[in-house]
Amino acid sequence: MATKTTFAPMLIIPNGITDVSFYTKAFGAEETRRFSNDDGSIHVVEFSINGSTFHMHEQWATKLVSPQRAGASTVSVNIFVEDVDAVVEQAVAAGAKITSPVQDFDYGYRQGDIIDPFGHCWQIQKEI
């Protein structure tokens, strides 16, 4: 049986985080599993947005650190949605900050960029 290749980003969060409800509120993500530490903080959370999986993982002793610890993010997670304006507004209401307002680009996309409460960059977009 062949395995289907999929892409599932793992976003690093600071240790001690207990609330990642931003993703449910902002993007309608469904939490599919959670592994907690003894103190109730998150070790790993798995989310699904319309069947696409991503993970949140606390920092650990490797070269993977949260954007807050690094002082920047080196990646943007891009999601395609039907209504870019509505999703950006929903994300802002949930705690995101706009870094580039929603606009149409001559290369055929409507896009807006946000930073989530943990410092991860997201580009919300659709082909026009």
Side-chain angles (χ1 to χ4, degrees):
M1 176 188 231
T3 300
K4 178 182 172 187
T5 301
T6 58
F7 182 75
M10 180 171 58
L11 306 178
I12 306 303
I13 55 175
N15 294 353
I17 299 297
T18 58
D19 182 9
V20 289
S21 63
F22 167 81
Y23 304 99
T24 301
K25 295 173 187 171
F27 307 130
E30 176 187 343
E31 187 176 314
T32 55
R33 65 182 72 172
R34 179 184 290 227
F35 300 96
S36 297
N37 298 311
D38 291 341
D39 66 358
S41 65
I42 294 168
H43 179 67
V44 177
V45 167
E46 181 179 274
F47 285 104
S48 176
I49 300 174
N50 293 328
S52 294
T53 299
F54 71 99
H55 300 94
M56 309 298 297
H57 197 299
E58 70 178 344
Q59 295 178 154
W60 70 95
T62 69
K63 296 193 182 275
L64 298 175
V65 297
S66 71
Q68 290 170 336
R69 183 168 170 197
S73 181
T74 63
V75 67
S76 176
V77 180
N78 300 351
I79 59 174
F80 286 84
V81 299
E82 186 60 34
D83 188 339
V84 176
D85 297 88
V87 172
V88 168
E89 286 176 24
Q90 189 171 306
V92 168
K97 298 201 179 350
I98 294 175
T99 56
S100 179
V102 175
Q103 57 188 308
D104 293 340
F105 290 92
D106 58 3
Y107 48 81
Y109 286 96
R110 182 163 183 76
Q111 298 170 322
D113 297 324
I114 61 166
I115 293 181
D116 73 25
F118 302 105
H120 300 286
C121 298
W122 293 77
Q123 185 168 82
I124 315 305
Q125 60 189 332
K126 81 177 270 182
E127 191 171 359
I128 50 176

